[in-house]
Amino acid sequence: MSKVILPRRQLIARAGGLIAAAGALPLLPGCDAINDAPAVRKILSMGEEMNRAAQRALIDRDALAREFSRAELSPYFRPNGTRLPAGAVYAAHAAGGFADWRIRVAGLVARPLSLSMADIRAMPQRTQITRHDCVEGWSAIGQWTGPQLSGILAAAGVRDSARYIVFRCADRLGDALYYESCDMVDALHPQTIMAWALNGALLPIANGAPLRLRIERQLGYKHAKYVNAIEAVASLDGIGAGKGGYWEDRIDYEWYAGI
Amino acid sequence: MAEAETPVAPAKLEPVRVYRHRLPTRLWHWINAATLLVLLMSGLMIFNAHPRLYWGEYGANFDRAWLVIGSTADAGYLRVGDWKIDTTGVLGRWTDAQGAVQTRAFPGWATIPTSYSLADGRRWHLLFAWLLSIGLTLYMLWTLIGGHLRKDLHVRRAEWSPRHIWHDVKEHARLRFPRGEAAARYGILQKLSYIGVIFVALPLMIATGLTMSPGMNAAWPWLLDIFGGRQSARSLHFITAWALVAFFLVHIAMVLLAGPVNEIRSMITGWFRLPPERGA
């Protein structure tokens, strides 16, 4: 560090910076105006893009979420979001043990499918004990069983032009049925399964019966419950308001929820 | 050491100035101060979404939380372990700017944004986390390459002696700060504080933050092993954030006590006026 002894100098000019710094304090109550400004929102959304790009670069396509032992299961797996879809149609399905539930596989596929729960259970199965991370901050560990989404997409002959997979759900939240989407990296990931069992029993209604998505490297709201359609699309533009998911379209949750 | 060519001046009247903070330090200091403020306030918003902390890998409403900020029908409370304190008005139950009673954990004046929005809190937090990480990485490299670590922050052998440390603690407690030439250098407590913030607390914030990311868990599963699970990482993230707030409070107190204009000016212009020796 260089040390210089200087003759006297005016100090007032240098206090200018101090006053400028103090001047920023009254801005604090204006924070919400800043938060709501369109330009600021645009800048804020850069973070999502940076996180997605960084994580896609850093995480191997097939890098697995940690799997746990049965001893590490949460004593109770907390349900969240819809706990019981409203309406007579769903109630009738539930009363009938979802025997007539169909999962439509459509969009950019060579062979559109309409799968029953028996079809789903007849496919090769994967069982995994993973940690579910809610965007709110809590975590629960559960054991999930179901076919890999990649197997379902292969059976339907998903086309190369498909860039996203959209999940349609039977639960209505406010003004719309729930929906979510993911890109092909996560759709084809080995741990991405359509689960019909939790902890060795049929999936409870509160957790998404009869079928829900498990997309283990992303947060809980991506894990669509009560799924009745799987669509392959080239763009998210025509889905809801175009951001790819129910919460993404309504309150600006990130579409890429790996963090 | 370069001396200006002034003739023998009455030393008593001529304040001795030293160039104390180089540009990277000043720049990083202020960017980091603003960044940490945003991260703290948006972090409190995120905490409000689930104001409970756990140890281990999992933890949700039905599991035992070691820390809870909650509310009863007419009161707010903070519970840590078995210890519970009424916090009505500040935590768990408070009145917002419009006069409405809210039962979120941290009050609106402490969060970004003011009214509850987990989505917006996350957007601020996850963008400014980049500023923190990039700024800290560059500053760490500069302290190594630019000699700041070796020349200014390196704790010398003699300074490690308990007697020396205890002496510095006593001097601080008596509010007797170094004067003259000694004021141009960092004391042992200052060195340990700055090293602790730059090389321990801030990296810990970033690492525990990354450990909460399910994506990062797939890429770097060892993060979970280091911190003992995602919920432990979340707890450590929260604790370290408050350790940084504690550092901030002491830091501000010291600036005020040591001469706020001189101290703050030195962090803006770099030039620090040495307090004259006692009796001078």
Side-chain angles (χ1 to χ4, degrees):
Chain A
M1 192 186 288
S2 62
K3 215 184 283 179
V4 184
I5 298 167
L6 287 177
R8 192 189 301 124
R9 270 196 192 163
Q10 79 282 14
L11 302 175
I12 298 149
R14 291 194 179 152
L18 222 180
I19 294 158
L25 285 174
L27 286 178
L28 284 177
C31 275
D32 285 349
I34 296 171
N35 181 65
D36 297 337
V40 172
R41 301 208 67 79
K42 204 163 187 178
I43 294 169
L44 287 179
S45 66
M46 278 167 38
E48 177 187 359
E49 207 33 55
M50 290 165 78
N51 288 320
R52 191 194 57 77
Q55 292 210 348
R56 280 282 179 255
L58 211 57
I59 308 169
D60 280 351
R61 280 181 82 98
D62 288 342
L64 297 181
R66 172 159 290 186
E67 296 193 15
F68 299 88
S69 70
R70 283 199 66 89
E72 294 166 288
L73 288 175
S74 287
Y76 176 70
F77 193 95
R78 177 190 162 172
N80 201 33
T82 304
R83 288 171 174 80
L84 174 64
V89 177
Y90 182 85
H93 276 298
F98 300 102
D100 298 327
W101 190 271
R102 309 298 287 189
I103 298 98
R104 202 163 47 82
V105 184
L108 299 172
V109 294
R111 299 173 291 279
L113 304 173
S114 174
L115 303 170
S116 67
M117 287 308 296
D119 296 332
I120 291 283
R121 290 184 194 114
M123 301 178 102
Q125 304 291 305
R126 189 177 204 282
T127 292
Q128 59 203 31
I129 300 178
T130 51
R131 198 193 60 226
H132 180 88
D133 299 327
C134 181
V135 63
E136 293 169 354
W138 52 269
S139 305
I141 296 178
Q143 176 190 285
W144 307 95
T145 301
Q148 289 174 320
L149 179 60
S150 60
I152 296 173
L153 293 175
V158 67
R159 297 188 197 281
D160 289 342
S161 52
R163 292 191 52 217
Y164 304 96
I165 302 298
V166 179
F167 305 89
R168 303 285 185 181
C169 308
D171 58 321
R172 181 171 291 278
L173 252 133
D175 61 334
L177 294 166
Y178 200 79
Y179 54 100
E180 257 303 342
S181 63
C182 67
D183 63 10
M184 297 310 289
V185 173
D186 274 312
L188 302 177
H189 185 262
Q191 284 172 321
T192 300
I193 64 173
M194 301 306 299
W196 53 270
L198 168 59
N199 294 341
L202 283 178
L203 193 60
I205 287 176
N207 299 101
L211 196 68
R212 74 174 296 170
L213 172 65
R214 294 301 309 168
I215 178 164
E216 303 292 357
R217 300 183 301 182
Q218 297 208 38
L219 297 174
Y221 60 88
K222 299 299 287 186
H223 301 230
K225 307 200 288 187
Y226 317 106
V227 173
N228 56 20
I230 298 167
E231 290 171 22
V233 298
S235 155
L236 297 173
D237 286 346
I239 313 297
K243 290 184 184 166
Y246 180 91
W247 293 117
E248 290 89 324
D249 281 335
R250 278 159 190 79
I251 60 166
D252 257 1
Y253 273 178
E254 294 92 352
W255 176 79
Y256 179 74
I259 185 161
Chain B
M1 182 159 153
E3 284 194 24
E5 292 189 23
T6 32
V8 198
K12 255 158 56 175
L13 301 177
E14 291 292 334
V16 180
R17 298 215 201 119
V18 292
Y19 187 60
R20 194 191 204 196
H21 301 299
R22 278 175 285 175
L23 186 63
T25 295
R26 279 135 58 201
L27 215 56
W28 181 71
H29 175 274
W30 292 114
I31 291 173
N32 205 46
T35 301
L36 286 178
L37 181 68
V38 171
L39 283 169
L40 175 70
M41 295 176 72
S42 57
L44 296 181
M45 171 57 74
I46 296 171
F47 177 86
N48 274 3
H50 188 73
R52 302 164 57 86
L53 294 174
Y54 314 88
W55 295 115
E57 193 64 68
Y58 66 81
N61 301 56
F62 299 91
D63 305 307
R64 170 78 180 170
W66 70 266
L67 182 147
V68 178
I69 297 176
S71 60
T72 60
D74 57 357
Y77 67 85
L78 163 69
R79 177 176 71 70
V80 181
D82 292 326
W83 176 80
K84 196 169 167 182
I85 180 177
D86 188 298
T87 54
T88 309
V90 186
L91 304 175
R93 187 183 172 89
W94 40 273
T95 308
D96 67 17
Q98 285 73 43
V101 170
Q102 302 285 347
T103 53
R104 298 281 175 190
F106 287 101
W109 56 261
T111 61
I112 293 177
T114 306
S115 47
Y116 181 78
S117 170
L118 172 59
D120 288 0
R122 277 172 53 82
R123 294 212 171 246
W124 283 95
H125 205 74
L126 298 179
L127 178 65
F128 277 75
W130 279 99
L131 263 184
L132 173 72
S133 307
I134 294 168
L136 180 66
T137 305
L138 293 177
Y139 190 67
M140 277 178 159
L141 286 173
W142 179 79
T143 64
L144 288 170
I145 297 162
H148 186 45
L149 186 65
R150 182 172 44 82
K151 286 187 280 191
D152 306 319
L153 294 176
H154 175 67
V155 180
R156 324 230 161 243
R157 191 178 290 263
E159 290 180 300
W160 277 119
S161 86
R163 230 171 100 174
H164 177 80
I165 296 174
W166 181 236
H167 177 257
D168 204 24
V169 170
K170 281 192 297 189
E171 290 288 288
H172 271 81
R174 290 178 189 138
L175 306 181
R176 281 165 55 95
F177 301 116
R179 307 185 78 86
E181 277 294 291
R185 295 181 298 274
Y186 288 142
I188 176 70
L189 295 182
Q190 280 177 300
K191 286 183 180 179
L192 292 178
S193 307
Y194 298 143
I195 290 170
V197 166
I198 298 167
F199 293 97
V200 180
L202 292 178
L204 191 60
M205 288 309 289
I206 295 168
T208 51
L210 288 175
T211 308
M212 284 186 268
S213 151
M216 292 310 301
N217 286 171
W220 298 342
W222 44 265
L223 282 171
L224 292 168
D225 300 321
I226 291 178
F227 297 114
R230 181 180 194 249
Q231 290 300 322
S232 291
R234 185 165 175 263
S235 290
L236 291 170
H237 198 71
F238 184 85
I239 292 168
T240 310
W242 287 104
L244 284 167
V245 171
F247 163 80
F248 170 77
L249 294 176
V250 173
H251 182 58
I252 294 300
M254 290 298 133
V255 166
L256 292 177
L257 291 167
V261 173
N262 192 27
E263 294 282 343
I264 296 172
R265 183 183 49 213
S266 76
M267 198 42 92
I268 294 170
T269 66
W271 290 94
F272 182 73
R273 189 201 281 191
L274 293 181
E277 300 281 0
R278 284 185 188 83

